[in-house]
Amino acid sequence: MLKKITLANTPTPIQKIQFMETDLPVNLYFKRDDLTGSGLSGNKIRKLEYLLQKAISDGITDIITCGGIQSNHCRATALACARLGLEAHLLLAGNEEQEKEGNNFLDILAGGKQRFISEKEYDEKRDSIMEEWKREIEEESDKKALVIPMGASCGLGSFGYSDCFEEILLQEKEMGISFDSIVITVGSGGSLAGLIYGNEKNHGKKEILGISIAASREEAIEGMVLPILEEMKTLDEVRYDIKSANFDVINGYQGLGYAKSTIEELEFIRDFVSQTGIILDPVYTGKATYGLISEILNGRWSEGRNILFVHTGGAFGWTREQIKMLLSI
Ligand SMILES: *Cc1c(COP(=O)(O)O)cnc(C)c1O
């Protein structure tokens, strides 16, 4: 058995969503992984439970990880490190001069050390820069550092979402309901991979769908999900045949790309939040929920199907720029 520490408040609730209810032909539910904690919240926490357990077992003193300037993952890592007495080092893509806000401010509040690189450098060299940073830290004294990849989307971290899948199975029993499809936002792909793994381990009865917010369908499947699933297989005691797994990544809702919003997306988010009381973020869950509702309205699912969307958090990702844009609509 792989071990993990406890960071998340689980099980997270599953709630029926009252949005455009008379118009939606399916039964829509949200699993509230935005409620895994307050600041220490969202989907990254489930992945960090495995990775930080490993860090503690291995005598690690410093964690290095990376993300966009408004990375939810970096904020969650900084707060988790603060809680566990580890030092967090965050490699961020973006401009250091930008006024501090949202996640980027919370990183600092939590004592995280930040380094900034350009988006180009980030895309091309983030892993080698993090390895170099690790060497620097370890040269300094008797420190030992662990590099956690972008989004904590590696094999070990993704077991957090295999566990989430099993949590859903227990909740189905309690609720007397069976979900036909489980849908989740895809950024770096680890959360989707974990759900697929959990489904396969439990005989693959459900359809698992990702909605990509940046990568193309092909990039997401070939470049992210399948390699993570392979890595998960090598870590687990039992082997499953992943090739025939029932999953897909829905294309077409990336909009203007990572962390960029369209007017339609922001309008949708405002309608959704004002009708449900559930906060969506502009980078991940806003785009994915917009995609999900569009797919429902386009007849992807037949009437009466039970659809579960895993809400992965992200509320701190609202920037001044996006707020201004929303308020001007
Ligand atoms: C990181 C993140 C995702 C994407 O999860 P991955 O496992 O990287 O695909 C979705 N929603 C929010 C709010 C996130 O921070």
Side-chain angles (χ1 to χ4, degrees):
M1 274 293 278
L2 296 165
K3 284 199 292 186
K4 64 177 180 182
I5 48 165
T6 301
L7 294 172
N9 294 305
T10 56
T12 54
I14 292 180
Q15 296 166 349
K16 186 138 199 302
I17 296 302
Q18 318 283 333
F19 177 66
M20 293 174 64
E21 212 193 3
T22 50
D23 297 325
L24 290 188
V26 302
N27 302 311
L28 179 60
Y29 294 82
F30 267 36
K31 180 160 175 66
R32 300 290 306 275
D33 269 18
D34 54 324
L35 302 180
T36 48
S38 64
L40 190 47
S41 64
N43 63 330
K44 302 308 179 310
I45 304 304
R46 288 191 191 261
K47 305 195 235 182
L48 289 171
E49 287 188 332
Y50 279 100
L51 291 162
L52 294 179
Q53 168 69 59
K54 181 171 160 46
I56 290 165
S57 306
D58 293 351
I60 295 292
T61 54
D62 294 63
I63 301 290
I64 304 163
T65 196
C66 66
I69 188 166
Q70 283 297 330
S71 166
N72 296 307
H73 164 64
C74 287
R75 175 254 309 153
T77 302
L79 287 164
C81 285
R83 176 145 145 197
L84 299 170
L86 300 166
E87 191 100 49
H89 305 265
L90 312 170
L91 185 69
L92 301 170
N95 179 2
E96 183 161 16
E97 302 306 315
Q98 207 159 313
E99 251 184 282
K100 300 295 170 198
E101 59 182 331
N103 285 311
N104 191 233
F105 164 67
L106 293 176
D107 294 345
I108 297 168
L109 194 60
K113 305 265 185 306
Q114 301 178 325
R115 269 192 199 177
F116 290 82
I117 52 175
S118 70
E119 277 167 30
K120 185 166 181 296
E121 272 181 301
Y122 184 85
D123 289 340
E124 290 168 5
K125 297 198 286 211
R126 60 174 174 267
D127 291 332
S128 58
I129 296 174
M130 287 197 289
E131 285 305 324
E132 179 56 39
W133 204 355
K134 174 178 151 79
R135 275 191 294 276
E136 261 176 51
I137 290 166
E138 291 183 340
E139 262 167 25
E140 249 172 52
S141 53
D142 51 357
K143 289 179 163 212
K144 203 173 160 196
L146 174 72
V147 174
I148 293 181
M150 177 169 68
S153 282
C154 52
L156 181 59
S158 301
F159 280 101
Y161 271 84
S162 175
D163 294 349
C164 176
F165 181 88
E166 291 182 348
E167 192 176 299
I168 293 168
L169 293 185
L170 292 176
Q171 288 175 298
E172 279 186 323
K173 282 212 188 87
E174 278 165 25
M175 296 169 75
I177 188 173
S178 173
F179 297 111
D180 301 296
S181 300
I182 301 179
V183 185
I184 194 162
T185 314
V186 176
S188 51
S191 305
L192 175 64
L195 290 177
I196 296 166
Y197 198 86
N199 191 38
E200 288 313 297
K201 196 169 159 182
N202 290 280
H203 315 299
K205 296 194 188 73
K206 299 183 191 302
E207 175 192 44
I208 310 292
L209 292 172
I211 300 182
S212 181
I213 55 88
S216 70
R217 174 178 180 274
E218 287 63 35
E219 281 165 7
I221 294 177
E222 303 295 331
M224 299 173 183
V225 173
L226 293 179
I228 296 169
L229 287 171
E230 282 305 317
E231 201 189 333
M232 292 179 80
K233 267 167 61 174
T234 64
L235 292 171
D236 209 351
E237 292 151 5
V238 194
R239 302 283 170 101
Y240 309 99
D241 181 20
I242 293 297
K243 282 195 201 75
S244 56
N246 183 10
F247 80 97
D248 204 352
V249 172
I250 298 177
N251 229 350
Y253 300 100
Q254 292 92 341
L256 299 176
Y258 181 74
K260 297 192 181 75
S261 299
T262 64
I263 302 271
E264 292 74 29
E265 287 165 9
L266 294 178
E267 265 175 342
F268 170 84
I269 292 173
R270 190 173 55 188
D271 288 349
F272 185 90
V273 179
S274 63
Q275 287 180 46
T276 62
I278 296 174
I279 298 177
L280 301 177
D281 76 290
V283 182
Y284 293 100
T285 59
K287 277 188 186 176
T289 307
Y290 179 65
L292 173 65
I293 299 291
S294 305
E295 291 293 309
I296 292 172
L297 294 174
N298 290 339
R300 182 181 189 100
W301 288 279
S302 51
E303 212 167 311
R305 290 271 148 164
N306 294 322
I307 313 299
L308 180 69
F309 177 73
V310 180
H311 187 326
T312 42
F316 299 114
W318 281 98
T319 60
R320 283 183 188 85
E321 202 182 319
Q322 279 152 330
I323 293 169
K324 247 167 75 183
M325 189 170 161
L326 183 134
L327 294 177
S328 72
I329 298 170

